[in-house]
Amino acid sequence: PILRPMRQDLASNSITAVSGILNGTTNYILTRMVQDGASFADALKEAQAKGYAEADPTADVEGIDAGRKICILSNLAWGKEVAPAKTPMEGISKVDLKDVDIAAAAGYKVKLLGHAVKLEDGKVAAYVAPHLVHESSPIAGVDDVFNAVLIRGNAVDEVMFYGRGAGKPTASALIGDVIDAVAHREKRRDLGWSESADLANVAELTMKWYLRGEFSAADAKAACGDVEEVAEGAVITAPMAEADAKAAAEKLGAAALLRVL
């Protein structure tokens, strides 16, 4: 349902970023882990029993479905192809319930987000990964099988589209697109991409990171600089590039490393 608003309602905007929860199955699993303390395996079985997840859930839980969607949204936002093969995709199969609990106690929720941004030099960066999202963010309150997409533009500032992302509403949106395509088959616009986007190295983007392991806050500060201690053996760093975060995590022997929105 977001495709037409992006092409029509937001056509006068210069879009700078698109991000959000793009897969209802993984959001349902994470919601069960957050609210009920379910393990990843148990939450996945429930999602399959309810028809939200496929018998082979790989595309959902490994971030592939969300990755394809963030590529489509990037293509629409900037008119150049962002190929899935060149888009880093990380899912939720390795998310530990311990980190979900620590995040919740510190005022964060763990969400699988697709994120795309146009940098000042014109390059585009797009990826999918689990993030810690602060409870003050509108994305944090999107639970169960619901999806939400935040779009930042120079005129609208920030707008969010919200709705169910699995089951009957998905089929409804699909049929709506088919009807629209048939109704306008004689004069529909070509949405093909004549050239590829100039891609930035996602690993060079700076952001905060969550690290958890058997280390002290003093050790974390020595490895990362300024940190926010959110629990014993768990910190949030100052903004840094992925390579620096991974180096710090290796030095500290961290068991978990997650992005922070």
Side-chain angles (χ1 to χ4, degrees), residues 134-160:
H134 195 269
E135 59 189 8
S136 62
S137 169
I139 288 285
V142 178
D143 291 326
D144 204 68
V145 295
F146 284 84
N147 285 1
V149 180
L150 281 169
I151 298 177
R152 295 184 183 89
N154 65 326
V156 296
D157 189 20
E158 187 174 85
V159 293
M160 186 172 87

Side-chain angles (χ1 to χ4, degrees), residues 2-77:
I2 195 175
L3 301 184
R4 279 185 290 276
M6 282 190 69
R7 294 292 297 181
Q8 298 174 17
D9 301 337
L10 300 178
S12 64
N13 279 259
S14 176
I15 295 175
T16 57
V18 181
S19 61
I21 299 167
L22 304 175
N23 183 273
T25 302
T26 51
N27 204 38
Y28 175 84
I29 292 171
L30 289 172
T31 298
R32 289 284 289 114
M33 293 175 73
V34 171
Q35 295 184 354
D36 304 299
S39 68
F40 169 79
D42 288 344
L44 173 57
K45 288 180 181 177
E46 289 183 19
Q48 289 173 318
K50 290 178 178 289
Y52 300 148
E54 303 286 346
D56 179 359
T58 303
D60 290 325
V61 301
E62 297 302 340
I64 299 170
D65 175 71
R68 292 166 178 159
K69 290 172 180 174
I70 198 61
C71 288
I72 292 170
L73 296 178
S74 299
N75 297 344
L76 289 173

Side-chain angles (χ1 to χ4, degrees), residues 196-238:
S196 298
D198 188 6
L199 298 178
N201 185 353
V202 171
E204 295 178 358
L205 296 178
T206 58
M207 63 189 70
K208 294 182 178 180
W209 295 81
Y210 163 89
L211 289 82
R212 190 257 305 165
E214 299 295 327
F215 53 78
S216 68
D219 291 338
K221 186 173 183 179
C224 306
D226 291 334
V227 296
E228 173 193 353
E229 187 175 18
V230 292
E232 184 177 354
V235 300
I236 293 177
T237 72

Side-chain angles (χ1 to χ4, degrees), residues 175-188:
I175 297 302
D177 288 341
V178 172
I179 292 172
D180 184 67
V182 172
H184 299 91
R185 62 187 182 278
E186 300 298 332
K187 54 181 179 180
R188 62 174 179 246

